[in-house]
DNA sequence: ATTGATTCCGTGTGCGCACACGGAACCTGT
DNA sequence: ACAGGTTCCGTGTGCGCACACGGAATCAAT
């Protein structure tokens, strides 16, 4: 019951007990109607539902979760990060943060890590999770055919699944969290072309091990190139793509020196991964800080070069929040039966030295 | 008690009852120690504190708020927005959102609106709030001397106060939410100078009624001008400030036409308020969409022109969140005794047509 | 009319915490 | 030794919800 008196909002919660008193039944009967449990006559049911509708009743979530007698278990399947691709450390941080918050809702998590280069590792984990019969699953669907089959099996068991960093289209999942890597590359290109002169060149850098480029990094590059080709033909901007293996000795300096010598009109550099700091360090050592440098992620190293101006823009997609939000979404569904939005994209935030101290992480 | 088994985190909450069993006392005694209430012998107290420390006990917040027998009342003092300055509608929206969430913590709010051009209106409200003796206060300290005296009185009564859109420095408050308008103007200038050619001119627009410019809008302008003067002397950029009264007939077209005729090398326009859409509309009517336009706030009108490219950047400081966070901060302090950060600034987010659909509001 | 099955509903218990009340033990003063 | 006061602590109750149990009423079959 909301009483609006002058400029005041004063709240007095409507409880199940109030509905029961008005309907002339017990709280047990109101509870049965609310949860479609047991048996209640149609006349009594209609009367209670009508009172609930008129009365602005909402359940007290604290009481609701306290009364919940079965702890929920959420199984989390995500890859282990490694030294050259520490990406998965970030969503895991968000997952751990969410785990601490959901304890009060009688919900816990179990984390199953797998090797992201090994299908058998993934399959082993999928099998373990099926056997453990959790209340819900958060899944990074790295191997898509296996993930699709797994989703079918979860669906058969009535276990809801939330996908994280997902590219799956037609599947049974409760909600999927992803990033629009193409659009983030597009935006990076937009920022770059905003600042460089017509006739300049841009270097598109892929910094990785020789055996693999992560899918979303490729998409960022594709978005970037796509913008240059499609939106700025009149600017006569050329783009050169360079892949550098950071584990090889002398890199990235050797490759960058060579590229700079061959193309002295390079006015901008775009780094698809979170390793822009490596390039910034090189640029400082060669007194080329006037070249526009755009990268991703607010790592400690990147922050340093952003603040001193060598890096012009960092794009942040809040990977921590992807992990956090996937757990919170599933928890809200399990505990409170709240239906989520089906697809949720990461933000594409533009970070500069002027706004970094105010950025909410 | 956290049991780490292989890749799993499984939680079993430590309760007051568990501590009591281990200490050989009742739950009432553990409760007395936790809240420093009643009298407990030093030996028993030490024993219980030691067990609590070793055991990773955290209170169940659902149980805690359910058991709380006294509803908290938060008094909110904010200005009424008006047609030319609808700013205060946005924090109020956040405040209402927070109010819905804190119902489950037995906490309600009472909103006291005042006329932001009237000291006596403000004083009347301050007096009402003091008389109502709330558990806590959220205050927009528009008139600073009155606000400072009010804070003293709250402090004498032991009532915690959170400030919103605050410029107060030395006062007794729990936490203050503000925006760094100077820095946001600085960033706007950075973006502008990134994109325009040396030797160009910029138009700095203040769109308002003749009788008042809101303080933070002036600060934005100051930040913008400061960047131009300090950071880009070699670019030879001139800046012209223009104040336009939007309530006058034929504006803003008349003034803008005049300015454009006098200075045909204008390459960028910066609007300090949320009315960039008015300028965008003008620019489209005169086929001047190639001029860089930067403004503030994701209003419906601004979104439209951002999406079609006439507005290049909008700066968003999430004013809704300022309201939301001030209530949540005070609620956490009152209900759970969590101490907040003393000063919290709004973000300064850069929004473009590429990232707007992913921006989290 | 009697018996058995089904429907319907009220009651009691518990979740983890907050806290008031009052009995037992101890201490101090006469 | 006794009385009064203080310290210390256990117990009971309640917050709003979830849900199991079992008694009463009703219905159907014989």
């Amino acid at each position: 019951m909301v009483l609006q008196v002058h400029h005041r909002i004063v709240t007095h919660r409507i409880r199940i007990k109030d509905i029961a008193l008005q309907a002339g039944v017990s709280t047990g009967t109101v509870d049965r109607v609310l949860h479609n449990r047991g048996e209640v006559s149609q006349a009594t049911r209609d009367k209670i539902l009508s009172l609930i509708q008129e009365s602005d009743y909402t359940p007290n979530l604290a009481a609701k979760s306290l009364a919940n007698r079965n702890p929920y278990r959420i199984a989390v399947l995500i890859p282990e990060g490694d030294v050259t691709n520490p990406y998965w450390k970030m969503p895991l941080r968000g997952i751990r943060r969410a785990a601490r918050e959901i304890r009060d809702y009688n919900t816990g998590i179990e984390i199953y890590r797998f090797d992201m280069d090994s299908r058998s590792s993934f399959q082993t984990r999928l099998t373990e999770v099926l056997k453990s019969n959790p209340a819900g699953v958060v899944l990074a669907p790295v191997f898509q055919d296996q993930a699709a089959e797994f989703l079918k099996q979860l669906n058969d068991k009535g276990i809801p699944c939330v996908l994280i960093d997902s590219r799956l289209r037609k599947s049974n999942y409760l909600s999927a969290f992803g990033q629009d890597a193409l659009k983030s590359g597009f935006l990076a290109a937009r920022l770059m072309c905003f600042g460089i002169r017509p006739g300049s060149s841009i270097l598109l850098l892929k910094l990785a091990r020789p055996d693999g480029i992560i899918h979303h990094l490729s998409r960022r590059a594709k978005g970037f190139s796509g913008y240059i080709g499609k939106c700025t033909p009149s600017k006569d901007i050329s783009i050169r793509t360079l892949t550098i293996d950071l584990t090889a000795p002398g890199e990235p300096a050797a490759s960058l020196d060579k590229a700079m010598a061959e193309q002295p009109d390079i006015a901008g550099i775009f780094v698809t991964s979170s390793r822009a700091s490596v390039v910034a360090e090189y640029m400082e050592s060669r007194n080329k800080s006037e070249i526009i440098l755009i990268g991703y992620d607010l790592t400690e190293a990147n922050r340093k070069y952003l603040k001193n101006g060598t890096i012009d823009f960092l794009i942040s997609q809040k990977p921590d929040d992807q992990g956090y939000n996937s757990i919170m979404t599933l928890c809200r569904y399990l505990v409170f039966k709240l239906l989520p939005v089906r697809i949720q994209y990461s933000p594409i935030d533009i970070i500069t030295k002027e706004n970094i101290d105010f950025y909410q992480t």
Side-chain angles (χ1 to χ4, degrees), chain A residues 56-355:
Chain A
D56 192 34
Y57 166 77
T58 57
N60 183 317
L61 298 187
K64 198 174 174 71
S65 66
L66 194 60
N68 168 34
R69 289 178 175 162
N70 303 296
Y72 293 105
R73 281 184 304 105
I74 295 178
V76 180
L77 286 131
I78 66 164
E80 295 174 340
D82 66 16
V83 178
T84 60
N85 183 41
Y87 172 78
W88 283 105
K89 278 187 191 164
M90 295 183 268
L92 183 60
R93 213 156 41 206
I95 283 162
R96 290 195 197 279
R97 174 159 54 105
R100 284 194 293 275
E101 285 188 30
I102 64 177
R103 283 166 32 130
D104 290 335
Y105 300 116
N106 220 14
T107 306
I109 66 170
E110 302 168 346
I111 301 182
Y112 298 78
R113 307 291 290 278
F114 58 89
D115 177 353
M116 70 181 298
D117 299 316
S118 162
R119 298 176 69 90
S120 69
S121 167
F122 188 55
Q123 189 60 50
T124 298
R125 287 288 182 262
L126 296 185
T127 303
E128 285 173 18
V129 167
L130 273 177
K131 200 175 289 187
S132 80
N133 214 41
V137 174
V138 170
L139 168 69
V142 174
F143 302 100
Q144 295 195 36
D145 51 339
Q146 283 167 310
E149 177 59 31
F150 180 65
L151 283 178
K152 278 194 207 125
Q153 291 169 313
L154 290 182
N155 196 49
D156 290 343
K157 288 184 159 210
I159 299 176
C161 185
V162 171
L163 303 180
I164 173 175
D165 209 42
S166 168
R167 280 166 281 124
L168 289 182
R169 293 298 158 83
K170 303 179 186 171
S171 292
N172 290 310
Y173 53 81
L174 181 68
S175 185
F177 289 81
Q179 54 173 293
D180 193 331
L182 201 65
K183 193 62 67 77
S184 78
F186 216 71
L187 175 58
R190 166 89 191 284
L191 289 174
M192 187 72 85
C193 296
F194 191 63
I196 61 174
R197 305 291 87 79
S200 308
S201 294
I202 299 174
L203 193 51
L204 192 162
L205 278 197
K206 301 180 183 180
L207 310 177
R209 292 183 309 183
D211 58 341
I213 293 290
I214 310 302
H215 177 79
H216 68 272
L217 300 190
S218 301
R219 298 283 284 175
R220 288 174 179 168
K222 187 168 180 185
F224 191 93
S225 309
Y227 182 91
I228 303 289
K230 183 180 168 187
C231 301
T232 59
S234 58
K235 279 205 161 186
D236 189 28
I237 292 172
S238 64
I239 180 170
R240 174 176 181 176
T241 299
L242 188 55
T243 302
I244 303 182
D245 172 14
L246 287 188
T247 61
E251 297 290 21
S255 296
L256 287 174
D257 276 341
K258 185 161 178 285
M260 296 293 177
E262 291 169 359
Q263 241 166 338
D265 63 337
I266 286 177
I269 301 179
F270 173 58
V271 182
T272 60
S273 71
S274 57
R275 306 300 297 274
S277 58
V278 173
V279 182
E281 184 180 13
Y282 164 82
M283 284 162 59
E284 286 195 357
S285 72
R286 300 297 192 271
N287 277 309
K288 290 188 186 293
S289 295
E290 78 283 351
I291 295 183
I292 295 167
L293 177 59
I294 300 179
Y296 284 82
D297 298 324
L298 303 189
T299 64
E300 276 311 303
N302 283 346
R303 284 172 177 265
K304 174 185 154 196
Y305 289 108
L306 186 71
K307 289 213 163 191
N308 77 12
T310 308
I311 296 181
D312 294 274
F313 299 97
L314 285 170
I315 292 177
S316 168
Q317 305 206 249
K318 292 191 177 176
D320 292 39
D321 280 8
Q322 209 177 142
Y324 176 85
N325 288 329
S326 62
I327 298 288
M328 298 309 291
T329 291
L330 188 51
C331 180
R332 279 192 212 106
Y333 176 73
L334 290 173
V335 180
F336 305 128
K337 305 297 181 281
L338 297 179
L339 270 178
V341 173
R342 186 159 160 85
I343 310 251
Q344 304 185 51
Y345 284 105
S346 295
I348 307 176
D349 294 331
I350 301 166
I351 313 301
T352 69
K353 76 179 188 184
E354 288 84 14
N355 73 5

